[in-house]
Amino acid sequence: MTGSALVLGGGGVTGIAWEIGMLAGLLDVGVDLTTADLIIGTSAGSVVGTMIATGCDVEELYRRQLAPSGSELAARMGTAVLLRWGFAAVTSRSPERFRARVGALARRTRTVPEEERRQVIASRLPIHNWPDRRLVVTAVDAVTGELAPFDRHSGVGLVDAVAASCAVPGVWPPMTVNGRQYIDGGVRSTANVDLASGADRIVVLAPLPRGGGPMPGVSSQVAQLGDSARVAVVTPNQEARAAFGRNVLDPARRGPSARAGRAQAADAALAVHSVWSDSP
C-alpha cells in the first residue's frame, strides 16, 4: 500500500475535541488531513475518524464541541481500576495475556447497560453506515486479547465497531458484536500506528501518546516503521494538556480542549505539511 494515512489516537472526550480542533486549525492554514487515503481510529479517534470518513464538515464538528455539555455526565476511571490495570501489566507474560486480563476486569465490572452505551455512541455519529473510504476502527477481543481491526468488510456494523473501540474497561461495558465481547482498542496501543504500515505519508494525532509495559507508546511504534514513510506525530502541548484537566472523560472540558487544539495547529502546521505534501 502507498498513499497517505491519518492515525487518530485515543484520549476520551477531551481527545475527540482536541483532534477536531487540530483538524479545523490545520484547515485554517491550508492543510487538509481529511483527504487521507486511509484513516485509522482508536477509541476517541474512532469517533473522529468515522465523522470525517463519512463526510462530516469539520467546521460544524468544531462548533458542536463548543456547545454546552448539557445533561451528559462525566465518567471517571477510578483508582481501583487503575491499580488493577497496573497489576495486570506487571504480572502478565505477554501483551495478549495483559489484554485478556483487562478484558476479564471489564466483563466483571458493573457499569451502565450495554445498549444504553451503544445509544450514546450512535448519537455522536451522524451517519451509521460504513463509508466507501478506507476506515479502520480498532478494538480488542475481551476474552483472547487479540486485536480486532474492523472495517467495512468485517461484517460488523459501524456503530458497533465504534462502540467497541470506545469501551474503556472498568468504565464502560464490553460491547457484544456477533456473539463476542470487545473492549477499547487503546488497550493494545493508544494509537495503533503500526496499522498504517505501507503508507508512505503518515500523520498521527495522539492525545495520549505515552505507552507503558505491554502497551507500546506512539514513538516506539513510529520507530518500528523505519524509513519506509514520512511521519509526523502531533501531541498536545502544555496549553492543551491544561485544557484537558485531570479527567479526559469530562464533557465539560470539550470546549477548552477543542480551542486548544485549534490554537496549537499553527505550530504543528509546518511539520504536518512537510509530510502530507505529495513532494518530499
PDB file of all heavy atoms in Angstrom, residues 40-69:
ATOM      1  N   ILE A  40      -7.249   5.578  10.405  1.00  0.00           N
ATOM      2  CA  ILE A  40      -7.227   4.578  11.473  1.00  0.00           C
ATOM      3  C   ILE A  40      -7.637   5.266  12.761  1.00  0.00           C
ATOM      4  O   ILE A  40      -7.015   6.250  13.179  1.00  0.00           O
ATOM      5  CB  ILE A  40      -5.829   3.960  11.623  1.00  0.00           C
ATOM      6  CG1 ILE A  40      -5.426   3.243  10.329  1.00  0.00           C
ATOM      7  CG2 ILE A  40      -5.786   2.991  12.810  1.00  0.00           C
ATOM      8  CD1 ILE A  40      -3.956   2.880  10.274  1.00  0.00           C
ATOM      9  N   GLY A  41      -8.691   4.766  13.396  1.00  0.00           N
ATOM     10  CA  GLY A  41      -9.190   5.385  14.615  1.00  0.00           C
ATOM     11  C   GLY A  41      -9.205   4.430  15.780  1.00  0.00           C
ATOM     12  O   GLY A  41      -9.680   3.294  15.657  1.00  0.00           O
ATOM     13  N   THR A  42      -8.685   4.889  16.901  1.00  0.00           N
ATOM     14  CA  THR A  42      -8.689   4.102  18.139  1.00  0.00           C
ATOM     15  C   THR A  42      -9.423   4.878  19.213  1.00  0.00           C
ATOM     16  O   THR A  42      -9.075   6.030  19.503  1.00  0.00           O
ATOM     17  CB  THR A  42      -7.252   3.806  18.596  1.00  0.00           C
ATOM     18  OG1 THR A  42      -6.619   2.932  17.654  1.00  0.00           O
ATOM     19  CG2 THR A  42      -7.230   3.155  19.975  1.00  0.00           C
ATOM     20  N   SER A  43     -10.442   4.263  19.799  1.00  0.00           N
ATOM     21  CA  SER A  43     -11.192   4.856  20.906  1.00  0.00           C
ATOM     22  C   SER A  43     -11.706   6.237  20.486  1.00  0.00           C
ATOM     23  O   SER A  43     -12.508   6.331  19.557  1.00  0.00           O
ATOM     24  CB  SER A  43     -10.306   4.907  22.158  1.00  0.00           C
ATOM     25  OG  SER A  43     -11.068   5.089  23.320  1.00  0.00           O
ATOM     26  N   ALA A  44     -11.291   7.313  21.149  1.00  0.00           N
ATOM     27  CA  ALA A  44     -11.734   8.648  20.747  1.00  0.00           C
ATOM     28  C   ALA A  44     -11.488   8.880  19.259  1.00  0.00           C
ATOM     29  O   ALA A  44     -12.313   9.478  18.561  1.00  0.00           O
ATOM     30  CB  ALA A  44     -11.006   9.706  21.573  1.00  0.00           C
ATOM     31  N   GLY A  45     -10.351   8.393  18.781  1.00  0.00           N
ATOM     32  CA  GLY A  45     -10.024   8.557  17.365  1.00  0.00           C
ATOM     33  C   GLY A  45     -10.964   7.831  16.439  1.00  0.00           C
ATOM     34  O   GLY A  45     -11.120   8.221  15.271  1.00  0.00           O
ATOM     35  N   SER A  46     -11.621   6.778  16.932  1.00  0.00           N
ATOM     36  CA  SER A  46     -12.586   6.074  16.082  1.00  0.00           C
ATOM     37  C   SER A  46     -13.811   6.942  15.831  1.00  0.00           C
ATOM     38  O   SER A  46     -14.420   6.881  14.762  1.00  0.00           O
ATOM     39  CB  SER A  46     -12.995   4.739  16.719  1.00  0.00           C
ATOM     40  OG  SER A  46     -13.849   4.917  17.834  1.00  0.00           O
ATOM     41  N   VAL A  47     -14.172   7.759  16.826  1.00  0.00           N
ATOM     42  CA  VAL A  47     -15.304   8.673  16.655  1.00  0.00           C
ATOM     43  C   VAL A  47     -14.949   9.752  15.632  1.00  0.00           C
ATOM     44  O   VAL A  47     -15.692  10.001  14.678  1.00  0.00           O
ATOM     45  CB  VAL A  47     -15.682   9.310  18.005  1.00  0.00           C
ATOM     46  CG1 VAL A  47     -16.795  10.344  17.814  1.00  0.00           C
ATOM     47  CG2 VAL A  47     -16.113   8.246  19.007  1.00  0.00           C
ATOM     48  N   VAL A  48     -13.800  10.375  15.811  1.00  0.00           N
ATOM     49  CA  VAL A  48     -13.383  11.439  14.898  1.00  0.00           C
ATOM     50  C   VAL A  48     -13.148  10.882  13.499  1.00  0.00           C
ATOM     51  O   VAL A  48     -13.574  11.465  12.494  1.00  0.00           O
ATOM     52  CB  VAL A  48     -12.123  12.145  15.419  1.00  0.00           C
ATOM     53  CG1 VAL A  48     -11.674  13.237  14.454  1.00  0.00           C
ATOM     54  CG2 VAL A  48     -12.376  12.737  16.796  1.00  0.00           C
ATOM     55  N   GLY A  49     -12.479   9.735  13.422  1.00  0.00           N
ATOM     56  CA  GLY A  49     -12.211   9.130  12.125  1.00  0.00           C
ATOM     57  C   GLY A  49     -13.480   8.808  11.374  1.00  0.00           C
ATOM     58  O   GLY A  49     -13.579   9.016  10.152  1.00  0.00           O
ATOM     59  N   THR A  50     -14.471   8.286  12.084  1.00  0.00           N
ATOM     60  CA  THR A  50     -15.750   7.969  11.446  1.00  0.00           C
ATOM     61  C   THR A  50     -16.440   9.227  10.954  1.00  0.00           C
ATOM     62  O   THR A  50     -16.993   9.257   9.845  1.00  0.00           O
ATOM     63  CB  THR A  50     -16.653   7.214  12.432  1.00  0.00           C
ATOM     64  OG1 THR A  50     -16.055   5.947  12.741  1.00  0.00           O
ATOM     65  CG2 THR A  50     -18.033   6.976  11.850  1.00  0.00           C
ATOM     66  N   MET A  51     -16.392  10.272  11.752  1.00  0.00           N
ATOM     67  CA  MET A  51     -17.049  11.520  11.351  1.00  0.00           C
ATOM     68  C   MET A  51     -16.470  12.062  10.052  1.00  0.00           C
ATOM     69  O   MET A  51     -17.200  12.432   9.130  1.00  0.00           O
ATOM     70  CB  MET A  51     -16.897  12.562  12.461  1.00  0.00           C
ATOM     71  CG  MET A  51     -17.750  12.288  13.691  1.00  0.00           C
ATOM     72  SD  MET A  51     -17.343  13.445  15.022  1.00  0.00           S
ATOM     73  CE  MET A  51     -18.658  13.105  16.194  1.00  0.00           C
ATOM     74  N   ILE A  52     -15.144  12.108   9.951  1.00  0.00           N
ATOM     75  CA  ILE A  52     -14.568  12.708   8.750  1.00  0.00           C
ATOM     76  C   ILE A  52     -14.611  11.746   7.567  1.00  0.00           C
ATOM     77  O   ILE A  52     -14.738  12.172   6.414  1.00  0.00           O
ATOM     78  CB  ILE A  52     -13.139  13.230   8.998  1.00  0.00           C
ATOM     79  CG1 ILE A  52     -12.185  12.111   9.397  1.00  0.00           C
ATOM     80  CG2 ILE A  52     -13.157  14.310  10.054  1.00  0.00           C
ATOM     81  CD1 ILE A  52     -10.750  12.578   9.534  1.00  0.00           C
ATOM     82  N   ALA A  53     -14.523  10.441   7.836  1.00  0.00           N
ATOM     83  CA  ALA A  53     -14.584   9.467   6.734  1.00  0.00           C
ATOM     84  C   ALA A  53     -15.969   9.428   6.101  1.00  0.00           C
ATOM     85  O   ALA A  53     -16.107   9.105   4.919  1.00  0.00           O
ATOM     86  CB  ALA A  53     -14.194   8.080   7.227  1.00  0.00           C
ATOM     87  N   THR A  54     -16.992   9.756   6.892  1.00  0.00           N
ATOM     88  CA  THR A  54     -18.355   9.756   6.364  1.00  0.00           C
ATOM     89  C   THR A  54     -18.767  11.122   5.834  1.00  0.00           C
ATOM     90  O   THR A  54     -19.933  11.335   5.493  1.00  0.00           O
ATOM     91  CB  THR A  54     -19.358   9.296   7.434  1.00  0.00           C
ATOM     92  OG1 THR A  54     -19.206  10.089   8.617  1.00  0.00           O
ATOM     93  CG2 THR A  54     -19.148   7.831   7.785  1.00  0.00           C
ATOM     94  N   GLY A  55     -17.815  12.053   5.776  1.00  0.00           N
ATOM     95  CA  GLY A  55     -18.053  13.316   5.087  1.00  0.00           C
ATOM     96  C   GLY A  55     -18.573  14.456   5.931  1.00  0.00           C
ATOM     97  O   GLY A  55     -19.054  15.465   5.394  1.00  0.00           O
ATOM     98  N   CYS A  56     -18.473  14.361   7.253  1.00  0.00           N
ATOM     99  CA  CYS A  56     -18.939  15.460   8.102  1.00  0.00           C
ATOM    100  C   CYS A  56     -18.066  16.701   7.903  1.00  0.00           C
ATOM    101  O   CYS A  56     -16.861  16.600   7.680  1.00  0.00           O
ATOM    102  CB  CYS A  56     -18.905  15.042   9.570  1.00  0.00           C
ATOM    103  SG  CYS A  56     -20.063  13.719   9.994  1.00  0.00           S
ATOM    104  N   ASP A  57     -18.689  17.848   8.006  1.00  0.00           N
ATOM    105  CA  ASP A  57     -17.975  19.117   7.858  1.00  0.00           C
ATOM    106  C   ASP A  57     -17.179  19.401   9.129  1.00  0.00           C
ATOM    107  O   ASP A  57     -17.746  19.419  10.239  1.00  0.00           O
ATOM    108  CB  ASP A  57     -18.974  20.239   7.595  1.00  0.00           C
ATOM    109  CG  ASP A  57     -18.302  21.586   7.449  1.00  0.00           C
ATOM    110  OD1 ASP A  57     -17.666  21.817   6.408  1.00  0.00           O
ATOM    111  OD2 ASP A  57     -18.402  22.401   8.400  1.00  0.00           O
ATOM    112  N   VAL A  58     -15.886  19.636   8.990  1.00  0.00           N
ATOM    113  CA  VAL A  58     -15.019  19.809  10.149  1.00  0.00           C
ATOM    114  C   VAL A  58     -15.413  21.049  10.950  1.00  0.00           C
ATOM    115  O   VAL A  58     -15.406  21.026  12.194  1.00  0.00           O
ATOM    116  CB  VAL A  58     -13.542  19.879   9.717  1.00  0.00           C
ATOM    117  CG1 VAL A  58     -12.647  20.255  10.894  1.00  0.00           C
ATOM    118  CG2 VAL A  58     -13.100  18.555   9.122  1.00  0.00           C
ATOM    119  N   GLU A  59     -15.761  22.122  10.279  1.00  0.00           N
ATOM    120  CA  GLU A  59     -16.128  23.343  11.000  1.00  0.00           C
ATOM    121  C   GLU A  59     -17.386  23.124  11.834  1.00  0.00           C
ATOM    122  O   GLU A  59     -17.488  23.616  12.968  1.00  0.00           O
ATOM    123  CB  GLU A  59     -16.333  24.495  10.023  1.00  0.00           C
ATOM    124  CG  GLU A  59     -16.399  25.861  10.680  1.00  0.00           C
ATOM    125  CD  GLU A  59     -15.118  26.223  11.434  1.00  0.00           C
ATOM    126  OE1 GLU A  59     -14.029  25.889  10.960  1.00  0.00           O
ATOM    127  OE2 GLU A  59     -15.240  26.847  12.515  1.00  0.00           O
ATOM    128  N   GLU A  60     -18.333  22.366  11.298  1.00  0.00           N
ATOM    129  CA  GLU A  60     -19.541  22.064  12.062  1.00  0.00           C
ATOM    130  C   GLU A  60     -19.216  21.167  13.250  1.00  0.00           C
ATOM    131  O   GLU A  60     -19.754  21.356  14.346  1.00  0.00           O
ATOM    132  CB  GLU A  60     -20.578  21.387  11.161  1.00  0.00           C
ATOM    133  CG  GLU A  60     -21.823  20.906  11.881  1.00  0.00           C
ATOM    134  CD  GLU A  60     -22.585  22.018  12.590  1.00  0.00           C
ATOM    135  OE1 GLU A  60     -22.482  23.191  12.180  1.00  0.00           O
ATOM    136  OE2 GLU A  60     -23.287  21.695  13.578  1.00  0.00           O
ATOM    137  N   LEU A  61     -18.329  20.198  13.043  1.00  0.00           N
ATOM    138  CA  LEU A  61     -17.907  19.351  14.159  1.00  0.00           C
ATOM    139  C   LEU A  61     -17.257  20.194  15.257  1.00  0.00           C
ATOM    140  O   LEU A  61     -17.476  19.952  16.447  1.00  0.00           O
ATOM    141  CB  LEU A  61     -16.921  18.284  13.667  1.00  0.00           C
ATOM    142  CG  LEU A  61     -17.462  17.228  12.704  1.00  0.00           C
ATOM    143  CD1 LEU A  61     -16.335  16.300  12.261  1.00  0.00           C
ATOM    144  CD2 LEU A  61     -18.587  16.421  13.340  1.00  0.00           C
ATOM    145  N   TYR A  62     -16.471  21.156  14.847  1.00  0.00           N
ATOM    146  CA  TYR A  62     -15.808  22.035  15.817  1.00  0.00           C
ATOM    147  C   TYR A  62     -16.843  22.832  16.613  1.00  0.00           C
ATOM    148  O   TYR A  62     -16.752  22.933  17.848  1.00  0.00           O
ATOM    149  CB  TYR A  62     -14.842  22.971  15.096  1.00  0.00           C
ATOM    150  CG  TYR A  62     -14.125  23.929  16.020  1.00  0.00           C
ATOM    151  CD1 TYR A  62     -13.058  23.502  16.808  1.00  0.00           C
ATOM    152  CD2 TYR A  62     -14.522  25.260  16.120  1.00  0.00           C
ATOM    153  CE1 TYR A  62     -12.405  24.377  17.665  1.00  0.00           C
ATOM    154  CE2 TYR A  62     -13.880  26.144  16.970  1.00  0.00           C
ATOM    155  CZ  TYR A  62     -12.818  25.694  17.744  1.00  0.00           C
ATOM    156  OH  TYR A  62     -12.178  26.560  18.585  1.00  0.00           O
ATOM    157  N   ARG A  63     -17.826  23.389  15.939  1.00  0.00           N
ATOM    158  CA  ARG A  63     -18.850  24.171  16.640  1.00  0.00           C
ATOM    159  C   ARG A  63     -19.585  23.315  17.669  1.00  0.00           C
ATOM    160  O   ARG A  63     -19.933  23.783  18.757  1.00  0.00           O
ATOM    161  CB  ARG A  63     -19.839  24.758  15.632  1.00  0.00           C
ATOM    162  CG  ARG A  63     -19.282  25.947  14.844  1.00  0.00           C
ATOM    163  CD  ARG A  63     -20.390  26.709  14.143  1.00  0.00           C
ATOM    164  NE  ARG A  63     -21.021  25.907  13.100  1.00  0.00           N
ATOM    165  CZ  ARG A  63     -20.636  25.893  11.823  1.00  0.00           C
ATOM    166  NH1 ARG A  63     -19.614  26.647  11.438  1.00  0.00           N
ATOM    167  NH2 ARG A  63     -21.258  25.168  10.929  1.00  0.00           N
ATOM    168  N   ARG A  64     -19.814  22.059  17.333  1.00  0.00           N
ATOM    169  CA  ARG A  64     -20.505  21.177  18.278  1.00  0.00           C
ATOM    170  C   ARG A  64     -19.683  20.958  19.544  1.00  0.00           C
ATOM    171  O   ARG A  64     -20.236  20.809  20.632  1.00  0.00           O
ATOM    172  CB  ARG A  64     -20.782  19.821  17.622  1.00  0.00           C
ATOM    173  CG  ARG A  64     -21.825  19.857  16.514  1.00  0.00           C
ATOM    174  CD  ARG A  64     -22.017  18.469  15.949  1.00  0.00           C
ATOM    175  NE  ARG A  64     -22.815  18.469  14.739  1.00  0.00           N
ATOM    176  CZ  ARG A  64     -23.027  17.407  13.973  1.00  0.00           C
ATOM    177  NH1 ARG A  64     -22.461  16.243  14.319  1.00  0.00           N
ATOM    178  NH2 ARG A  64     -23.774  17.483  12.892  1.00  0.00           N
ATOM    179  N   GLN A  65     -18.374  20.956  19.410  1.00  0.00           N
ATOM    180  CA  GLN A  65     -17.530  20.763  20.595  1.00  0.00           C
ATOM    181  C   GLN A  65     -17.613  21.954  21.547  1.00  0.00           C
ATOM    182  O   GLN A  65     -17.358  21.812  22.748  1.00  0.00           O
ATOM    183  CB  GLN A  65     -16.070  20.535  20.178  1.00  0.00           C
ATOM    184  CG  GLN A  65     -15.842  19.269  19.372  1.00  0.00           C
ATOM    185  CD  GLN A  65     -16.327  18.025  20.094  1.00  0.00           C
ATOM    186  OE1 GLN A  65     -15.948  17.771  21.227  1.00  0.00           O
ATOM    187  NE2 GLN A  65     -17.169  17.241  19.428  1.00  0.00           N
ATOM    188  N   LEU A  66     -17.959  23.110  21.022  1.00  0.00           N
ATOM    189  CA  LEU A  66     -18.049  24.314  21.848  1.00  0.00           C
ATOM    190  C   LEU A  66     -19.396  24.444  22.542  1.00  0.00           C
ATOM    191  O   LEU A  66     -19.555  25.274  23.438  1.00  0.00           O
ATOM    192  CB  LEU A  66     -17.798  25.556  20.990  1.00  0.00           C
ATOM    193  CG  LEU A  66     -16.484  25.590  20.207  1.00  0.00           C
ATOM    194  CD1 LEU A  66     -16.337  26.931  19.495  1.00  0.00           C
ATOM    195  CD2 LEU A  66     -15.286  25.325  21.099  1.00  0.00           C
ATOM    196  N   ALA A  67     -20.368  23.636  22.124  1.00  0.00           N
ATOM    197  CA  ALA A  67     -21.702  23.711  22.719  1.00  0.00           C
ATOM    198  C   ALA A  67     -21.666  23.189  24.155  1.00  0.00           C
ATOM    199  O   ALA A  67     -20.836  22.351  24.506  1.00  0.00           O
ATOM    200  CB  ALA A  67     -22.682  22.903  21.879  1.00  0.00           C
ATOM    201  N   PRO A  68     -22.574  23.668  25.011  1.00  0.00           N
ATOM    202  CA  PRO A  68     -22.637  23.164  26.393  1.00  0.00           C
ATOM    203  C   PRO A  68     -22.839  21.654  26.427  1.00  0.00           C
ATOM    204  O   PRO A  68     -23.509  21.089  25.552  1.00  0.00           O
ATOM    205  CB  PRO A  68     -23.842  23.915  26.987  1.00  0.00           C
ATOM    206  CG  PRO A  68     -23.987  25.143  26.138  1.00  0.00           C
ATOM    207  CD  PRO A  68     -23.562  24.734  24.754  1.00  0.00           C
ATOM    208  N   SER A  69     -22.276  21.021  27.434  1.00  0.00           N
ATOM    209  CA  SER A  69     -22.358  19.560  27.525  1.00  0.00           C
ATOM    210  C   SER A  69     -23.736  19.082  27.936  1.00  0.00           C
ATOM    211  O   SER A  69     -24.045  17.883  27.831  1.00  0.00           O
ATOM    212  CB  SER A  69     -21.312  19.040  28.517  1.00  0.00           C
ATOM    213  OG  SER A  69     -21.497  19.623  29.797  1.00  0.00           O
TER     214      SER A  69
END
